[in-house]
Amino acid sequence: MKIEVVPTARDLQPENLTGKTALVIDVLRATSTIITALNNGCQAVFPVTTPEEALELRRRLSGPILLGGERQGRRIEGFDLGNSPAEYPPEVVAGKKIIFTTTNGTRAIRACTRAANLVIASFLNAAAVVEFAAGTGTNILVVCAGTRGHFSLDDILCAGLVVDRLLQRLRPAGLDPTVDDLGLAAVDLYHLYSNDIRAGVERSLHARRLKQMGFDEDIALCTRVDCHPLVAIYHEGSVVPHSSGSTKGPTSGG
Amino acid sequence: MKIEVVPTARDLQPENLTGKTALVIDVLRATSTIITALNNGCQAVFPVTTPEEALELRRRLSGPILLGGERQGRRIEGFDLGNSPAEYPPEVVAGKKIIFTTTNGTRAIRACTRAANLVIASFLNAAAVVEFAAGTGTNILVVCAGTRGHFSLDDILCAGLVVDRLLQRLRPAGLDPTVDDLGLAAVDLYHLYSNDIRAGVERSLHARRLKQMGFDEDIALCTRVDCHPLVAIYHEGSVVPHSSGSTKGPTSGG
């Protein structure tokens, strides 16, 4: 069994996804916001690459729909919601479909659709993601969205948490997964900050930019570990809460 | 002033080199071997991308020439030397020109030729590299060769050493360089292993492969810190020891 970590969506090699379970991480803020929305009763999140694609998809979907996402960190003109988890409480999102587009996170999700299982990961739902991923029996590719094509410390710390826990979960079961160099480095970095994840995330350039823009609260919201026991899976165009039975294992995947 | 770290040569954006001082690192083993050869009196090292290019260049150069390098870690058929520093002692290389091609390192060097200054870095000559780079006054791009396009722990640890020392050198001088997320992570990782660099490097997949191939001694040779006070610069096709006067500063660079 192999566990690999990819530093940015740009580093993905599509052929490396086949048969694997991909865990996509964009701590600040896309995957944290998607998990928050689904935890608050949102029916499905449709990740799309551009605002134009979002508008086009809205014309084709039925039912109550919201448009969410950001460019340059801010809500897109004409959209209902931005990219802050705080904008997605139950009274806003319950029962709704959300079409969502962000600079890094939704692109990373869309880049991983070849994977056997495509799981949305964040600090908020890390425990649930690890439990799910360990149960697939497949090789695991942890995909950090990164920030505009660059290595991002916030995503790597979350990757380190996930890899560390996968190893704790799998080794006693007799499996001893091989971990690539970035996976080993991510675990080391996570251990340095495990007592104060927020402090580690705040060192990142992305967090510093968000603070300058007034999004301090988002950093606090996105660095709560294990507050939502939710597995969310991308399947045929949308991210939905996982119901058991749709997992692809190592033989059926790909 | 900015200090950035690039995880692999594949992640280089050529336009990001203009006006900068690039420090190219391939700990296992290309840049360690180049520094060893030059320290042992080799006249110049010509990094080329392919064995065919090496043979063609040999026809055009005059004087005593050796061919060195590796594919799959082993000496290339028909070449004089492989990629072990131990193969480049004074009695073999003094006064000679060496044409050199490796899987990761020489490609990384060739990918950086747009930089204002292109410096060959390794644990062996880290102190000299830092002193030189700090003196250029330019922005600094630390380029890890990586291993076959992947993040490599050995190179990142050396990058961390270099960035840590650059900050120690520049901050008291009143400069407070901005460091990108990978630079911050590299410094953190370096500090974890600074008491035993070899142990850190031996965790890397690349080191484990070399050990399986019987190259244990190379790992020891490539992890000696500051044993050669040598600055080596790529200029017009070859890497030569630096003589003062050829540095490009922030205004003349690019």
Side-chain angles (χ1 to χ4, degrees):
Chain A
M1 184 176 186
K2 281 203 302 187
I3 302 174
E4 297 163 287
V5 178
V6 178
T8 79
R10 213 180 54 183
D11 295 291
L12 267 178
Q13 296 171 306
E15 67 279 11
N16 193 28
L17 287 157
T18 309
K20 293 184 181 169
T21 295
L23 313 179
V24 180
I25 297 172
D26 185 11
V27 167
L28 299 175
R29 298 165 285 172
T31 61
S32 305
T33 298
I34 291 171
I35 293 303
T36 302
L38 292 171
N39 189 67
N40 287 338
C42 158
Q43 211 185 100
V45 177
F46 296 77
V48 299
T49 308
T50 64
E52 295 68 35
E53 203 187 330
L55 296 171
E56 199 214 306
L57 180 59
R58 183 169 60 177
R59 285 191 289 274
R60 292 191 282 115
L61 289 177
S62 60
I65 294 166
L66 295 170
L67 297 182
E70 57 73 34
R71 284 300 179 274
Q72 319 269 332
R74 308 272 181 206
R75 179 156 57 97
I76 297 161
E77 207 187 309
F79 273 42
D80 304 294
L81 304 166
N83 192 21
S84 296
E87 294 176 86
Y88 294 75
E91 57 273 27
V92 174
V93 302
K96 308 263 175 66
K97 294 171 183 161
I98 296 171
I99 305 172
F100 195 57
T101 179
T102 71
T103 311
N104 308 296
T106 57
R107 284 172 193 275
I109 296 167
R110 291 288 293 266
C112 291
T113 53
R114 265 211 211 185
N117 302 293
L118 203 176
V119 184
I120 309 304
S122 67
F123 284 114
L124 311 182
N125 68 334
V129 166
V130 166
E131 198 54 34
F132 174 87
T136 62
T138 63
N139 291 327
I140 293 169
L141 194 65
V142 183
V143 179
C144 297
T147 302
R148 297 180 178 276
H150 290 95
F151 177 101
S152 203
L153 194 52
D154 48 316
D155 294 338
I156 285 292
L157 290 175
C158 187
L161 166 69
V162 166
V163 175
D164 189 52
R165 289 185 176 178
L166 279 168
L167 292 174
Q168 284 177 38
R169 174 75 170 62
L170 294 167
R171 280 179 177 154
L175 290 159
D176 192 15
T178 61
V179 180
D180 69 358
D181 279 21
L182 185 53
L184 296 174
V187 170
D188 279 346
L189 290 165
Y190 162 66
H191 284 152
L192 280 176
Y193 296 102
S194 57
N195 288 329
D196 192 349
I197 289 291
R198 183 172 169 176
V201 166
E202 284 181 336
R203 293 189 75 204
S204 72
L205 184 62
H206 196 165
R208 286 178 278 153
R209 276 202 200 127
L210 286 173
K211 286 183 96 164
Q212 281 169 1
M213 297 171 77
F215 290 119
D216 297 57
E217 193 201 345
D218 283 2
I219 299 168
L221 290 173
C222 295
T223 52
R224 292 169 301 153
V225 178
D226 298 337
C227 60
H228 300 324
L230 176 76
V231 175
I233 303 277
Y234 178 93
H235 185 63
E236 292 181 356
S238 73
V239 178
V240 293
H242 171 66
S243 56
S244 56
S246 64
T247 319
K248 289 186 197 140
T251 50
S252 63
Chain B
M1 183 177 188
K2 282 202 301 188
I3 302 174
E4 296 163 288
V5 178
V6 178
T8 79
R10 213 180 54 183
D11 294 292
L12 267 178
Q13 295 171 307
E15 67 280 11
N16 194 29
L17 287 157
T18 309
K20 293 184 181 170
T21 295
L23 313 179
V24 180
I25 296 171
D26 185 11
V27 167
L28 299 175
R29 298 166 286 174
T31 61
S32 305
T33 298
I34 291 172
I35 294 303
T36 301
L38 292 171
N39 188 66
N40 287 339
C42 159
Q43 212 185 99
V45 176
F46 295 77
V48 299
T49 308
T50 64
E52 295 68 36
E53 203 187 331
L55 295 170
E56 199 215 307
L57 180 60
R58 182 168 62 177
R59 286 192 288 272
R60 291 191 283 116
L61 288 177
S62 61
I65 293 166
L66 295 169
L67 297 182
E70 58 72 33
R71 283 301 179 273
Q72 318 268 333
R74 307 271 182 206
R75 178 155 57 95
I76 297 162
E77 207 187 311
F79 273 42
D80 304 295
L81 304 166
N83 191 22
S84 295
E87 294 177 86
Y88 294 75
E91 58 273 26
V92 173
V93 302
K96 308 262 174 67
K97 292 171 185 162
I98 296 171
I99 304 172
F100 195 58
T101 179
T102 71
T103 311
N104 308 296
T106 57
R107 284 172 192 273
I109 296 168
R110 291 289 293 267
C112 290
T113 53
R114 265 211 211 186
N117 302 292
L118 203 177
V119 183
I120 308 305
S122 68
F123 283 114
L124 312 183
N125 68 335
V129 165
V130 166
E131 197 54 33
F132 174 88
T136 62
T138 63
N139 291 326
I140 293 169
L141 194 67
V142 182
V143 179
C144 298
T147 302
R148 297 178 179 278
H150 289 95
F151 177 100
S152 202
L153 195 52
D154 49 318
D155 295 338
I156 284 292
L157 290 175
C158 187
L161 165 69
V162 166
V163 174
D164 189 51
R165 289 184 176 179
L166 279 169
L167 293 174
Q168 284 177 38
R169 174 75 171 60
L170 294 167
R171 281 181 177 153
L175 290 159
D176 193 16
T178 61
V179 180
D180 69 357
D181 279 21
L182 185 53
L184 296 173
V187 170
D188 279 347
L189 290 164
Y190 162 66
H191 283 152
L192 280 176
Y193 296 102
S194 57
N195 288 329
D196 193 348
I197 289 292
R198 182 171 170 177
V201 166
E202 283 182 336
R203 294 189 75 204
S204 71
L205 184 62
H206 196 166
R208 285 179 278 153
R209 275 200 202 129
L210 286 174
K211 286 183 95 162
Q212 282 169 0
M213 297 171 77
F215 290 119
D216 296 55
E217 193 202 347
D218 284 1
I219 298 167
L221 290 173
C222 295
T223 52
R224 292 168 301 154
V225 179
D226 299 336
C227 60
H228 300 325
L230 177 76
V231 176
I233 303 278
Y234 178 93
H235 184 63
E236 293 182 357
S238 73
V239 178
V240 293
H242 170 65
S243 55
S244 55
S246 63
T247 318
K248 290 188 197 136
T251 50
S252 63

